[in-house]
Amino acid sequence: MSMSVALCLATALWGQSKQENFDFGWKFIEQDVKDAQLASTDDSKWKNVDLPHDWDIFHAPDSTAPTGNGGGYFPGGTGWYRKQINDTKLKVDAGESVWLHFEGVYQNSEVYVNEKKVATHFYGYTPFKVDITPYIIKGVNTIAVKVDNSQQPNCRWYSGSGIYRHVWLEKYNVNKMDDPQKLFIRTENIYGMSADGTHADSAAIRITYADKLNEIRILKNVELWSPDQPKLYDITVGELTVKHGVRSFSYDSQRGFLLNGQPTLINGACVHHDDGVIGAMAFDAAEIRKVRLMKDAGFNLIRTSHNISTRALLDACDSIGMMVIDEAFDGWYTEKNKYDYHLVIDSCYTEDLTAMVLRDRNHPSIISWSIGNEVIERKDIRVIHTASKFKKVITSLDNTRPVTEALCAWDRDWEIYDPHAAVLDIVGYNYMMFKAESDHERVPERVMWQTESYPRDAFANWKHTSERPYIIGDIVWTGLDYLGESSIGQFHYEGESRAESWQAKHFPYHGAYCGDVDLTGWRKPISHYRDLLWNTKEGDSKLYLAVREPDFYYKGHVSETMWSVWPTWESWNWKGWEGKDIEAEIYTKAPKVQLFLNDKLIQTKDVNFSTEYKAIIKLPYQPGVLKAVALDANGKAIAETTLRTSKEPAAIRMTADRNRINADGEDLAYVTLEVIDKDGNLVPDATIPVNVSVNGQGTLLAAATANLKDLEPKTSPRVTTYKGRATIVVRSGKKAGKATITASSPELKGSYRKNINLKTAL
């Protein structure tokens, strides 16, 4: 059997049924071990690990690492996982089978049960499950998983390495309706929809379960699902209960995108799969936080670029209120990297697309499937056949959502892609929206969205989308900073390479800085500006103030790259710049703003569409208090915000995103660590070493910053603050009680503590 065929023997589907968490109690070794699948293998010196687990993130980036600039200079390699379980956990009743369900393993995995290879699976982003019923023995059963991520490079961004998503032990009964992959619930009709699209008198829900069930149920007095009102209903079918959101959407080139009958502009964010400072480890709490960060930043859609996301992320999108473009692949038949998906595409695409659709089609958040991104072979006529066959796999399983793909051009050719675009229901434009008007004249029925855009073009992209109904949305690259694609979106100082991320090595940079939100969850000024454009009406009082870093202030001349914006900070600490000009940036849709320094009026400026809702005011820098005031049309102050020069670092302040987490061994608390002065003000230019420890009923998972040049491992207890901040991630234990976080610095007196309460998990 050839390698490419063998890689897809596992059933690439998803289920839950009688589901038991299988994440705890594994042994791990970060090397290839001969006969590691044998029960007799001595694993006493292997590490004890609990999943999710990503061995890469425990390393420091290394300039010689085989993943290179694209993978963030992490090691990859090969690892083995082993777990032993008594047959009492594996016993089945009549008609039952027992399965191992892997939500994601990166990548090229082999699964062994009692020394027999029972499955192989290549693609690191699709779930797969394995029927282990025939291989169970009496007594102790040995599960072994080999993960081979040694063939590098195989990804254009940080992938992580290992069993980085959950594993479940599941049982199914052929006589029951207990397999979620066979269940499909969709809204067929909505009756008596309210004028504002929030409610309906009733809705008809079609429910199918394989060939056993096909019925219509009626829901009464329905609240409709939307990002503003993410109402979910529990629908029970057989042994299963699935959350369903009742919603309708339509789109055309005359009316744009309508959600529940309401014109809706899509303000989207491309989001990679990693969770920043914890790497690829897909804890539910991290995935929920990722969606919450995007929601708080004003986005209403996530594009899962460029691969299938986690179940937890989609659950969060359903419940928090976030539309989704669910994307399958980055590349197709022509390689982007030597060892990427092109090696196995023929043997695996059906299984992987099927896995995506059958796992995800019950999520109301998903409004489109995406089959690819910037495929290299776009000038080969066969690309039309590829797009068509991928679409056919998807629509055979779900014909209720449009299929899209992100198209691009790296030269002057564009119109030649019309036959390819014609396969798609909505055409994705990567950085090509300047072609929209001429395309609309040529193909007036085409519906478009910009599936990637440059952050600095925020105003132009909002304007294009709001003025042209055939452009239904803009999706910026990216919503969050991420690991890999090192230095993309970075501004550079003297002495650093000015090349783009793919043109040169950029070590020690090991991540992308093009996100609206950084690795720690801090919203950059561009995030506040984009949110203002999309989510604020004329005359509203929303107001934001930041300061542009002066050129030559830090390390010589600043230069920008394609995805960067000028370095701009919430700071009035510019020591050594006294008396020199500096620029304040004010964002608002109020008609006027005033800027004060130390209570002295510097300038009053009009703000409107023609100024792109910005006021940029130059003034000589002096320490003190910088204040922006928004004025209404009558000159009345309606909002104000300040930046204050801080004093010297005096203490550490720690603030948790949650002070109570579940004692289930897998919940997380994110703690923001800030350096403050004696008055409690953040010191935004503080760069000091901090040592972190966690005691009690929790463990330290990560302590890191947004500094993409910092080479301290992100899981280390040592961290050096960046812009006065760091983030600490605490993993819960399995017992109720307290986890105490202690932070200290040799540059500050004393130590500082924060308690997190762990409650008994339900």
Side-chain angles (χ1 to χ4, degrees):
M1 182 178 289
S2 70
M3 174 184 176
S4 61
V5 173
L7 288 169
C8 286
L9 285 177
T11 305
L13 301 171
W14 179 73
Q16 64 182 24
S17 190
K18 295 179 182 177
Q19 186 181 70
E20 180 181 330
N21 187 304
F22 209 63
D23 287 344
F24 297 97
W26 291 80
K27 292 280 192 173
F28 168 72
I29 190 167
E30 192 180 334
Q31 64 186 64
D32 195 0
V33 176
K34 184 180 180 182
D35 297 330
Q37 76 276 16
L38 299 182
S40 60
T41 295
D42 182 6
D43 59 13
S44 60
K45 295 183 180 179
W46 293 23
K47 292 181 180 178
N48 297 311
V49 300
D50 295 327
L51 309 179
H53 181 251
D54 165 19
W55 74 70
D56 276 336
I57 202 62
F58 292 88
H59 290 267
D62 184 329
S63 62
T64 65
T67 60
N69 205 69
Y73 299 99
F74 289 88
T78 301
W80 277 89
Y81 296 83
R82 283 166 55 92
K83 181 171 179 173
Q84 293 186 314
I85 183 172
N86 195 281
D87 67 321
T88 56
K89 288 277 190 180
L90 303 175
K91 288 180 179 178
V92 294
D93 297 328
E96 281 190 336
S97 56
V98 61
W99 299 69
L100 284 177
H101 163 209
F102 296 86
E103 288 201 22
V105 182
Y106 204 94
Q107 71 172 354
N108 192 8
S109 56
E110 300 173 359
V111 181
Y112 296 83
V113 177
N114 295 318
E115 306 182 355
K116 296 181 176 62
K117 185 189 291 188
V118 298
T120 59
H121 189 76
F122 179 83
Y123 195 35
Y125 298 113
T126 40
F128 64 97
K129 65 177 187 176
V130 184
D131 184 358
I132 65 171
T133 315
Y135 309 101
I136 297 170
I137 62 175
K138 290 185 178 181
V140 176
N141 287 255
T142 301
I143 312 295
V145 181
K146 180 182 179 181
V147 184
D148 185 356
N149 197 22
S150 63
Q151 292 185 312
Q152 295 291 343
N154 60 48
C155 192
R156 293 192 302 120
W157 53 87
Y158 177 88
S159 66
S161 298
I163 308 178
Y164 71 103
R165 296 179 180 177
H166 295 301
V167 180
W168 305 93
L169 187 69
E170 298 172 349
K171 294 181 181 179
Y172 298 93
N173 192 313
V174 294
N175 301 312
K176 298 179 180 179
M177 289 186 286
D178 61 359
D179 188 345
Q181 69 196 24
K182 298 177 182 178
L183 179 66
F184 189 15
I185 301 175
R186 60 271 200 199
T187 300
E188 190 141 299
N189 286 295
I190 298 174
Y191 304 100
M193 186 184 298
S194 62
D196 61 1
T198 61
H199 295 78
D201 293 339
S202 62
I205 309 300
R206 180 169 294 278
I207 302 170
T208 57
Y209 184 91
D211 57 358
K212 292 185 177 181
L213 180 69
N214 187 345
E215 70 174 31
I216 294 287
R217 293 187 192 174
I218 301 297
L219 299 180
K220 301 287 189 180
N221 300 317
V222 178
E223 294 180 49
L224 302 180
W225 186 95
S226 72
D228 293 332
Q229 179 182 275
K231 174 65 177 179
L232 298 172
Y233 291 90
D234 287 338
I235 306 296
T236 299
V237 181
E239 311 299 308
L240 302 170
T241 297
V242 175
K243 292 190 178 298
H244 177 68
V246 179
R247 54 103 176 103
S248 69
F249 65 86
S250 62
Y251 54 92
D252 59 53
S253 60
Q254 289 77 43
R255 297 182 301 164
F257 182 79
L258 303 178
L259 179 62
N260 299 327
Q262 305 303 303
T264 303
L265 297 180
I266 291 173
N267 173 30
C270 294
V271 174
H272 267 311
H273 82 111
D274 72 273
D275 280 304
V277 300
I278 64 169
M281 294 184 283
F283 290 87
D284 289 7
E287 297 290 89
I288 293 166
R289 177 177 180 266
K290 183 156 56 178
V291 176
R292 175 55 65 190
L293 288 172
M294 295 294 88
K295 181 82 169 185
D296 291 346
F299 293 110
N300 63 9
L301 177 139
I302 285 173
R303 174 188 177 214
T304 68
S305 48
H306 304 293
N307 48 261
I308 300 154
S309 70
T310 63
R311 164 203 50 79
L313 183 135
L314 296 176
D315 286 345
C317 289
D318 290 344
S319 61
I320 292 172
M322 182 71 68
M323 294 181 287
V324 176
I325 298 173
D326 203 355
E327 188 157 278
F329 309 124
D330 182 32
W332 292 350
Y333 283 91
T334 301
E335 70 182 62
K336 291 183 176 180
N337 280 305
K338 184 177 180 180
Y339 297 106
D340 66 17
Y341 195 71
H342 80 280
L343 294 174
V344 298
I345 186 170
D346 267 330
S347 61
C348 291
Y349 79 83
T350 299
E351 287 83 357
D352 289 328
L353 288 171
T354 298
M356 175 179 75
V357 177
L358 292 189
R359 187 197 69 173
D360 297 350
R361 62 185 177 177
N362 288 323
H363 289 279
S365 54
I366 296 174
I367 63 165
S368 180
W369 307 107
S370 175
I371 54 176
N373 172 69
E374 297 182 355
V375 297
I376 300 298
E377 63 266 40
R378 55 186 164 274
K379 290 188 178 181
D380 186 330
I381 192 66
R382 289 173 293 184
V383 77
I384 302 168
H385 171 69
T386 303
S388 298
K389 71 181 182 181
F390 287 2
K391 181 180 180 181
K392 184 176 180 180
V393 173
I394 289 172
T395 56
S396 70
L397 302 168
D398 174 24
N399 62 3
T400 69
R401 296 173 172 94
V403 173
T404 192
E405 180 192 337
L407 306 185
C408 71
W410 297 334
D411 51 30
R412 294 184 178 274
D413 292 334
W414 177 250
E415 290 76 13
I416 64 170
Y417 305 131
D418 278 357
H420 187 172
V423 175
L424 308 172
D425 302 307
I426 302 174
V427 182
Y429 284 56
N430 279 11
Y431 315 104
M432 297 299 298
M433 204 46 72
F434 63 92
K435 288 286 190 180
E437 290 187 76
S438 58
D439 284 4
H440 181 62
E441 291 178 6
R442 188 177 70 258
V443 193
E445 70 278 9
R446 181 181 294 178
V447 179
M448 320 165 186
W449 44 24
Q450 187 161 214
T451 33
E452 290 180 26
S453 65
Y454 297 114
R456 65 160 58 92
D457 294 338
F459 181 83
N461 293 323
W462 167 75
K463 180 177 181 291
H464 284 317
T465 305
S466 59
E467 292 178 348
R468 295 166 176 82
Y470 53 87
I471 305 173
I472 64 172
D474 176 70
I475 306 163
V476 71
W477 190 267
T478 56
L480 283 160
D481 285 355
Y482 55 94
L483 300 176
E485 281 195 284
S486 305
S487 88
I488 186 173
Q490 191 70 52
F491 48 87
H492 293 300
Y493 296 108
E494 295 287 351
E496 295 182 328
S497 171
R498 311 284 173 137
E500 293 293 339
S501 64
W502 66 90
Q503 295 172 327
K505 290 187 175 181
H506 290 273
F507 188 85
Y509 287 110
H510 54 275
Y513 197 70
C514 49
D516 276 23
V517 179
D518 75 16
L519 283 187
T520 68
W522 178 73
R523 291 179 62 189
K524 303 174 190 176
I526 186 63
S527 171
H528 294 274
Y529 181 56
R530 192 184 319 280
D531 184 21
L532 175 93
L533 292 174
W534 290 86
N535 299 309
T536 306
K537 297 179 180 179
E538 292 277 354
D540 282 356
S541 61
K542 193 167 187 177
L543 179 68
Y544 180 79
L545 171 65
V547 176
R548 289 169 62 89
E549 181 178 309
D551 203 8
F552 296 97
Y553 176 77
Y554 184 54
K555 289 183 178 179
H557 172 58
V558 175
S559 62
E560 291 194 63
T561 51
M562 291 171 67
W563 281 267
S564 73
V565 296
W566 190 269
T568 306
W569 310 102
E570 295 172 1
S571 174
W572 197 236
N573 278 33
W574 303 98
K575 187 176 181 180
W577 204 253
E578 289 80 2
K580 298 179 183 179
D581 282 345
I582 194 166
E583 290 182 325
E585 285 200 355
I586 305 168
Y587 312 146
T588 187
K589 284 190 177 177
K592 287 183 183 292
V593 294
Q594 292 179 325
L595 185 69
F596 295 83
L597 178 57
N598 297 327
D599 294 326
K600 179 183 177 181
L601 178 64
I602 302 299
Q603 193 173 357
T604 302
K605 293 195 77 170
D606 292 333
V607 183
N608 50 48
F609 184 89
S610 67
T611 71
E612 300 186 356
Y613 301 110
K614 290 181 181 180
I616 300 176
I617 299 176
K618 185 181 294 186
L619 71 160
Y621 173 68
Q622 292 295 334
V625 178
L626 188 69
K627 180 172 69 174
V629 178
L631 308 176
D632 66 14
N634 298 316
K636 180 183 177 182
I638 54 175
E640 68 175 55
T641 186
T642 60
L643 295 173
R644 185 182 304 271
T645 306
S646 64
K647 298 179 176 67
E648 293 300 310
I652 287 171
R653 177 171 60 210
M654 290 186 283
T655 308
D657 64 340
R658 294 182 298 155
N659 288 319
R660 289 179 65 85
I661 58 176
N662 289 327
D664 60 4
E666 295 192 315
D667 207 358
L668 305 180
Y670 283 78
V671 180
T672 299
L673 182 151
E674 297 173 301
V675 181
I676 57 175
D677 67 12
K678 66 182 184 63
D679 299 320
N681 300 307
L682 173 72
V683 184
D685 53 357
T687 303
I688 65 171
V690 177
N691 295 308
V692 178
S693 64
V694 177
N695 296 299
Q697 302 304 323
T699 56
L700 177 68
L701 192 61
T705 71
N707 182 1
L708 294 170
K709 295 174 72 175
D710 187 349
L711 297 181
E712 183 72 30
K714 300 190 188 308
T715 53
S716 163
R718 299 176 299 275
V719 62
T720 300
T721 61
Y722 177 72
K723 303 299 180 183
R725 293 184 178 88
T727 192
I728 301 165
V729 186
V730 177
R731 179 175 185 169
S732 68
K734 289 186 173 182
K735 294 181 179 179
K738 288 184 178 180
T740 301
I741 307 149
T742 304
S744 62
S745 172
E747 298 187 13
L748 300 173
K749 293 181 179 180
S751 60
Y752 304 87
R753 291 178 175 83
K754 176 70 177 178
N755 289 327
I756 304 294
N757 295 308
L758 283 80
K759 60 184 179 182
T760 303
L762 298 178

